[in-house]
Every structure is written in structure tokens, then in C-alpha cells.
Amino acid sequence: MKPTTTSSDWIARSLRSVWHPCTQMQHHEEVPLIAVSHAKGPWLYDHEGRRYLDGISSWWVNLFGHANPRINAALKDQLDKLEHAMLAGFTHEPVIELSEQLAALTGQQLGHAFYASDGASAVEIALKMSFHYWRNAGYAGKQEFVCLQGSYHGETVGALGVTDVALFKDAYGPLLRAARTVSSPDARNAVDGESAQDVALRAAKDVEALFAEQGDKIAAIIVEPLVQCATGMAMHDPLYLQRLRELCDKYHVHLIADEIAVGCGRTGTFFACEQAAIWPDFMCLSKGISGGYLPLSLVLTTDKVYEAFYSEDITRGFLHSHSYTGNALACRAALATLQIFRDDDVLNKNRETATRLMLELAPLLDHKRVTNFRQRGMILAFDAVEPDTQRASTFARRFFTSAVENELLLRPIGRTVYMMPPYVLDEEEIVGLAARARKVFESVIAE
């Protein structure tokens, strides 16, 4: 009989051969890897049958649970038809239908979709499209980009150029083309009784001052609508997006909405921009668009942008490409994901789940070691108060380790504890997620 391979065996093999992302590998001398055997719904299981509630949707990608029967069925059907074909010179049903459905969700405001595989690639595409658009339109001097303080848009070289998280960016500074950075509308920046709207307007004035002085050089500003995720779930009022749209129109600057993490229902509407009643010039989507199944990203843009590239002159065309652009299997997973949104009235159900989860976490609202408790749709976050600098620096690792011991996958960003669970939690799982998160927090701050 073949010997059983244990979690320890798989972990040892992984540490010998796999370089894991966003990780200082030496930390795994203290914080063990988890070898996942299988998953179902919101639960991940290791090889010994221990389970972990996926409270962060496996890095914000999983919407409708692992091994979702409807997405599985769609992919099995697609496997027997077409797994992939190059999208240059060819096309296929899944990519056409997905493009049409996404355009419809924007009310045809963003009627053209360009595909890639991951979020950073989508950001690269949007940046290049904006730059090239202005050249094609006769404004070759508009070459600069603007990002927000604390912004994160990916870790390829172009995306890092519009990222403002030192931990990811500083080591590669000499490789990057620096962007201009403006104030964040993060509501935690409120002073002297300011409201979130006051902070939004104050941050927008910073943008206006820059545009007034340098607008003829600026191609685009990029923003994560409503929630700047990687900087610690920094949330802002929709008024900021409204004002940003007005300023971009006034000064002829493109607005790029990075909805990679905040789209697909995470903030309470399918697109975060809907809450501000605006549409950007470019919208980047990834993560949840395929339900968390397969790598897929895309940029939605306007007819006006598309037409600026439409020419007999090949040099005016957008010649960017990826081998797996518009992959049929990934697009089919995305179509199944959109079908679930329609069939299950997901956005309304999410509002109920978010309200219920907030109620279960309510005891933390007045906790002396908790500050800035906040929520936007299915994203909930709070900041831990850790007066000791050394303890604060290890808070995330200590919390993650304790969470795993309590059947939870929660991975704080610095001292920010957040939840971004799949949309399929039942009542018992909602209560369990909140109760265990509170237990873990209490144990970590008491150490």
C-alpha cells in the first residue's frame, strides 16, 4: 500500500522547492506553512483534515466558495469544447459573451475589454493605453501619472511606479518611473472634527492644485475606488470619486479605476464606482471576476479611447499582448460567476451578511485596544492599538498564527485586522468567524 503523504511531508517539499509570494521565507522557521489538501465552500482543509475558514477569500479572489458546483460544471463543459486559442486573429464565445456582459453592467459606458491574466498586468495595460492615447491624440507631452499616498496597484515595474507602499517599492526604486503622489482621502486622516466627506474634499484639493499646475503633462490618475486595500483597508467617501471625475474632465486627465480588489460586489455594488455615480476612462478588473478559479484580468475602456487607436497605421494600434489573453476557460469561469450574481440576488444577500457580521463584531467597537472600526460592503476592518513598537511589528504574524490555531485564515496588514470573506457564509459561519476573530484578537493583545 502506498504510504500516506502527511502535511509535514508536503511542507518540507514546498520549502525545498517553492519560493512563496509576499513572504520573507525565513519566517517559516517560526510560522509553519499550511499544506492544503482540498477545499469546499468557505473552508480549506489540510491533509490531516484540519479546517480553516477562509476569512480573506484566499487573497480576495474567491466569491462563491471553493469547489463551487456551478462554476465547476461550467468549466467541465468548456473543457470539452475549447481550453484556449490565441486571441490575435481569432475569437471565441466565452470572451465575446463576457465582454458584452461587462459592457452591459456599465450601461455601455465602458464598451471595450482588453484581457490579460493578473491585476498588475491590467494596470500596466491601462497605463500604456492612457499614455498611447494622448500620443495618438496629438498630446505627446502628457506622459506622467498620479497615484495616492498609500496606493497599491501591483508589483510589476509599471504598476510599482504608481504604488506608494515602501515595503514593496523601495528595493526597486532605481528601476521605476516615479509617479506624482497626492494625499489619500483615507477617512482615518480626519482632524478637528472633520467628516469623511471633509477629508475627501481636502484630498481632492490636492489633486486640483497639481492638475492646475501640471495638467498638460499628466496622462492619468489611478485610484482604488472606496477602499485602498493593501495599505490597510483605507476607506474613503464616494464624494472623492465624484470630485476626481470632475477634475479629470476639467483638466483633460484620464481616470483609471483599479477595481481589482474592490470590484465584483466587494464594496456593496458590483462596481465600486457605482456608489459615486461615475465611470472612469479605464477600469481594471481581476481577482473575483473568475470567482477565484483561474487567472484573469481585463481593462474596460470607452469608445473614445478605442477609436483613438483605430487606424490603418499599425503604430497607432495597441500592440500589447499576453499568450493567454482572453483564455476560454477563465472567461467561462467569469461567465458562471456573473450568472450566480444574477440567479442568487447576490448583492442584496451580501448586504444582509455584512450587517449580520457587523453585529457579531460589535463588542469590538468600544474595545480600548481597537480603533477605526470600519466597513464598506463585505470588507470589514479595524486597527489594533499596540503601544509597544516591537510588539506592533510582529502583530500580523502573531495574529495569523493564533488564527490558524482557531480554524481561521485571517492575515492582518500590519496592525489592521480585516475580513473579506466569500459571499456564501451561512449563519453558523458568520457567527463563528466573528467569535473566533474576537477570541484571537484578545489572545494576541494579551500575550
Side-chain angles (χ1 to χ4, degrees), residues 210-230:
L210 176 62
F211 283 7
E213 181 180 347
Q214 301 290 337
D216 60 335
K217 299 177 183 178
I218 297 171
I221 183 170
I222 184 168
V223 61
E224 299 163 85
L226 301 183
V227 186
Q228 293 178 254
C229 294

Side-chain angles (χ1 to χ4, degrees), residues 88-276:
F90 291 83
T91 194
H92 51 75
E93 291 179 23
V95 77
I96 296 167
E97 292 181 352
L98 179 58
S99 302
E100 290 173 343
Q101 290 186 25
L102 290 172
L105 286 171
T106 73
Q108 306 300 327
Q109 296 298 306
L110 302 173
H112 297 272
F114 195 101
Y115 289 84
S117 300
D118 58 84
S121 296
V123 169
E124 299 271 348
I125 288 166
L127 296 174
K128 287 176 65 177
M129 275 187 176
S130 176
F131 174 91
H132 200 162
Y133 169 90
W134 291 116
R135 189 182 76 171
N136 283 355
Y139 298 93
K142 293 174 74 67
Q143 299 183 5
E144 298 185 15
F145 296 100
V146 181
C147 65
L148 277 57
Q149 289 177 348
S151 59
Y152 174 89
H153 299 288
E155 294 167 42
T156 52
V157 171
L160 268 182
V162 289
T163 286
D164 186 50
V165 179
L167 181 64
F168 301 123
K169 181 176 181 178
D170 284 0
Y172 311 103
L175 299 177
L176 307 180
R177 181 179 183 180
R180 295 180 180 270
T181 305
V182 292
S183 301
S184 169
D186 181 356
R188 293 176 296 179
N189 293 334
V191 295
D192 300 326
E194 282 185 319
S195 66
Q197 286 196 341
D198 293 331
V199 177
L201 290 173
R202 177 158 52 84
K205 287 181 180 178
D206 195 24
V207 177
E208 184 171 22
L210 176 62
F211 283 7
E213 181 180 347
Q214 301 290 337
D216 60 335
K217 299 177 183 178
I218 297 171
I221 183 170
I222 184 168
V223 61
E224 299 163 85
L226 301 183
V227 186
Q228 293 178 254
C229 294
T231 196
M233 301 299 161
M235 300 182 184
H236 60 258
D237 192 274
L239 181 61
Y240 181 74
L241 300 176
Q242 294 173 4
R243 186 67 182 129
L244 212 56
R245 179 70 273 177
E246 293 168 0
L247 292 171
C248 285
D249 290 341
K250 179 178 179 180
Y251 291 99
H252 305 290
V253 172
H254 285 145
L255 175 58
I256 302 173
D258 175 354
E259 294 225 8
I260 291 162
V262 299
C264 302
R266 286 293 183 195
T267 64
T269 47
F270 190 83
F271 299 118
C273 285
E274 292 180 71
Q275 294 181 48

Side-chain angles (χ1 to χ4, degrees), residues 15 38 67 83-84 94 96 126 143 154 170 183 194 211-212 217 250 284 308 312 329 350 391 402 404 411 426-427 442:
L15 290 173
H38 62 284
E83 80 298 339
H84 180 69
I96 296 167
Q143 299 183 5
D170 284 0
S183 301
E194 282 185 319
F211 283 7
K217 299 177 183 178
K250 179 178 179 180
C284 303
E312 291 184 358
L329 283 169
N350 279 359
R391 284 173 51 81
S402 180
V404 167
R411 185 182 166 108
D426 61 24
E427 176 69 13
E442 294 286 0

